[in-house]
Amino acid sequence: MDYFYNLESFDITHLEQYRGKKLEELFPNHRNIKNEMGEFMELFWEADDIPSNLRIQDTKDSILRNLKTVYYIGEHTEKHFFKRGVKTLHDLRIMKKYRHSTNQILTYLKNKDYRNLVRNRYLYDIDVSFCFDLEDFLFLDIETLGLYDGPMILVGVGFFRDSKFKIHLFFARNIEEEIAICEHLKHEVLPDFKCFVTYNGKSFDIPFIGNRFLYFFEENPMISQEESPYEMSNTKFHHIDLYHQCRRIYRGKFESYSLTNMEEKLLKWNRKNELPSNLVGVCYKKYLKNPEKYVGLIKEIIEHNYYDVYSMPLILKKLLK
Amino acid sequence: MDKKIDTLALNKKTWDKIAKKYEEHRPKWPEKDCPLFKYFLSNLQTGSLILDIGSGTGLPYAKKLIENGFKVLGIDISPTMVKIAKKNVPQGQFKQLSMTDLDYENKFEGVISSFSMLLLDPEQFNDVAKRIVRALKKGGFFYLSLNEPEEENIDVDNYDYTIIEIMGQKMYSRPYTEKEVLTIFSSLGMKLMKLYRKMQTSELYGTEFTINFIFKKE
């Protein structure tokens, strides 16, 4: 009988001013995108205040200084080597015992072979970001109507172009427009990038999108053809999940590792009037019933997603320091 | 006339029946207080007497008021609810009384009605509003929360719409619009101090669009 959950509430006093307005009026920076599958609405921004000097190249140096990546070397041996003046992997090459393994890692580093590098137990997804250019990162966040197998209503992507951060949101004005968004993602967005950056996307966003691709097109563009598409949702793209990196790097420091909490603690930045994410579906359904009255709720959903995408590069920058 | 007696009796019966279950499975309230409730508290002197209309189990409002150093008189139509409230908030005073029989004059510095006046039909609502204004002292505050109708231009007095089901029991509940409430209370000499809209979801009531008022007796 434990089915009464906490009351979730959200202040909508300030949303009254938008009543009767159209979504196109509220966001002048929009355009309609048409493709074979239909059309949807795209909203776009250029976030000037996001610095483009993410220190992704520095991760290569930190791998070079990480002697534990070599076989037979653990924490104890690494300390011992540091004392004797062996500082980088280059110095290890002269030692016969470690030569083979060291050379292998140095070759991977030289070839930017991130797939083999992340197999090493001392290297994590974020450590191989030097293999990519800044423009290869795709920051991604979606809003859906349910936690499993429902439609997506909003897909937010962010990327760097000409050292400026651009945020594009693809919004389905009704549920039928979702397929056009998937088509656009498949042909126009995904081919331009090599690496996803998400917040808890490994367990939610990416499998969810993969599921939708399979539902609409019976093939998943995130999977190479020789692999079975039903067991994995993403094998083509490298994926940095900031949630896992935050949990690992700041282990035990925070009570909750939700995105809003990390914004507060890491970036010292508070969102104003935050819409709880579990109300997104309810708000969208209300909007579909009565678009004139509840257009303010959609404005809130779009801003919620905008700030989710906005804060990801800032958190990535913090983690790369 | 018949209808009036019906809704009151129906609601009394329902609350009596579900009181124990309601107390056991009460939704946990969010930790953040409604900003209007904070405003209500900050405008009243500690130690003043406050009337809680439809106090129910005494949680959370009667308890919070006591914690903040106020004296509370809670009234509720259901005797079972009153018993539970006395157990939950031993420092408060609780009485079995329908708000339609409220008969006080210049007694309270504050009156609070949280989702209780929506159980009245419009005729009773008018009558109770007058009684509340009479019970308030001059300069006193009145905190009122209600539900708004989900859609505009809907027949809110329709039987199907007003008879809702709560924990398997039927109950009368009618949403009121901002305009209706303001016309009733401004004609009684109450001044609107603040207004707050909130959307909330719970398993018990689903999605609600609530509207909260603070009135001051001029």
Side-chain angles (χ1 to χ4, degrees), chain A residues 10 12-13 19 286 294, chain B residues 150 152 197 199 201 203:
Chain A
F10 173 55
I12 53 168
T13 316
R19 185 182 283 216
K286 287 282 167 198
Y294 296 121
Chain B
E150 283 186 25
E152 279 148 19
R197 282 191 160 85
M199 174 186 159
T201 57
E203 191 83 14

Side-chain angles (χ1 to χ4, degrees), chain B:
Chain B
M1 216 38 205
D2 281 341
K3 190 183 152 205
K4 185 179 163 186
I5 297 161
D6 262 350
T7 58
L8 271 185
L10 176 72
N11 287 352
K12 185 179 177 184
K13 201 178 87 190
T14 301
W15 282 117
D16 259 343
K17 270 191 181 167
I18 65 168
K20 275 195 184 133
K21 215 171 160 191
Y22 183 80
E23 161 71 358
E24 278 167 29
H25 298 297
R26 191 181 53 247
K28 283 173 195 149
W29 304 96
E31 284 169 16
K32 272 188 264 172
D33 276 341
C34 166
L36 286 204
F37 187 63
K38 273 185 200 160
Y39 177 85
F40 179 76
L41 293 183
S42 63
N43 274 292
L44 291 170
Q45 281 186 336
T46 42
S48 44
L49 183 60
I50 290 171
L51 176 67
D52 185 356
I53 295 178
S55 52
T57 58
L59 299 172
Y61 287 108
K63 194 171 185 188
K64 274 186 188 164
L65 287 168
I66 295 278
E67 279 168 4
N68 281 290
F70 295 99
K71 283 180 221 156
V72 176
L73 170 63
I75 61 164
D76 202 290
I77 197 169
S78 143
T80 328
M81 279 292 193
V82 172
K83 258 186 222 163
I84 295 173
K86 277 180 183 164
K87 207 165 52 177
N88 278 340
V89 192
Q91 305 94 322
Q93 241 193 324
F94 293 93
K95 211 172 168 183
Q96 193 258 311
L97 181 73
S98 165
M99 57 181 127
T100 47
D101 302 329
L102 198 67
D103 197 14
Y104 294 103
E105 213 170 326
N106 272 335
K107 193 171 178 192
F108 303 98
E109 276 91 357
V111 176
I112 183 165
S113 156
S114 167
F115 300 107
S116 53
M117 279 176 80
L118 48 77
L119 306 176
L120 301 171
D121 64 32
E123 209 178 306
Q124 295 163 342
F125 193 96
N126 247 316
D127 177 47
V128 172
K130 276 176 206 157
R131 288 169 188 270
I132 288 171
V133 176
R134 198 150 65 94
L136 264 178
K137 279 184 185 169
K138 209 181 171 195
F141 284 86
F142 175 42
Y143 173 96
L144 172 67
S145 29
L146 295 169
N147 275 352
E148 271 190 303
E150 283 186 25
E151 282 158 57
E152 279 148 19
N153 312 322
I154 192 176
D155 179 20
V156 275
D157 287 319
N158 186 351
Y159 176 85
D160 292 339
Y161 199 74
T162 49
I163 302 295
I164 60 160
E165 204 167 280
I166 173 172
M167 291 173 162
Q169 300 292 325
K170 282 187 174 154
M171 187 165 71
Y172 178 90
S173 158
R174 180 195 188 277
Y176 284 87
T177 62
E178 180 188 344
K179 210 173 161 190
E180 281 175 307
V181 176
L182 287 186
T183 35
I184 290 172
F185 279 97
S186 56
S187 69
L188 293 172
M190 300 285 274
K191 191 185 168 196
L192 177 70
M193 304 302 284
K194 279 203 172 196
L195 189 135
Y196 176 76
R197 282 191 160 85
K198 196 169 63 169
M199 174 186 159
Q200 61 186 35
T201 57
S202 58
E203 191 83 14
L204 191 52
Y205 305 109
T207 312
E208 297 167 298
F209 287 86
T210 70
I211 182 162
N212 306 271
F213 304 87
I214 295 264
F215 288 105
K216 189 180 181 184
K217 188 177 177 181
E218 293 271 84

Side-chain angles (χ1 to χ4, degrees), chain A residues 228-250:
Chain A
S228 58
Y230 292 97
E231 284 160 24
M232 308 270 240
S233 39
N234 168 32
T235 53
K236 231 185 225 177
F237 299 88
H238 186 59
H239 187 170
I240 299 175
D241 192 333
L242 298 175
Y243 172 68
H244 295 275
Q245 305 304 328
C246 283
R247 289 201 68 125
R248 179 175 60 84
I249 293 171
Y250 301 102

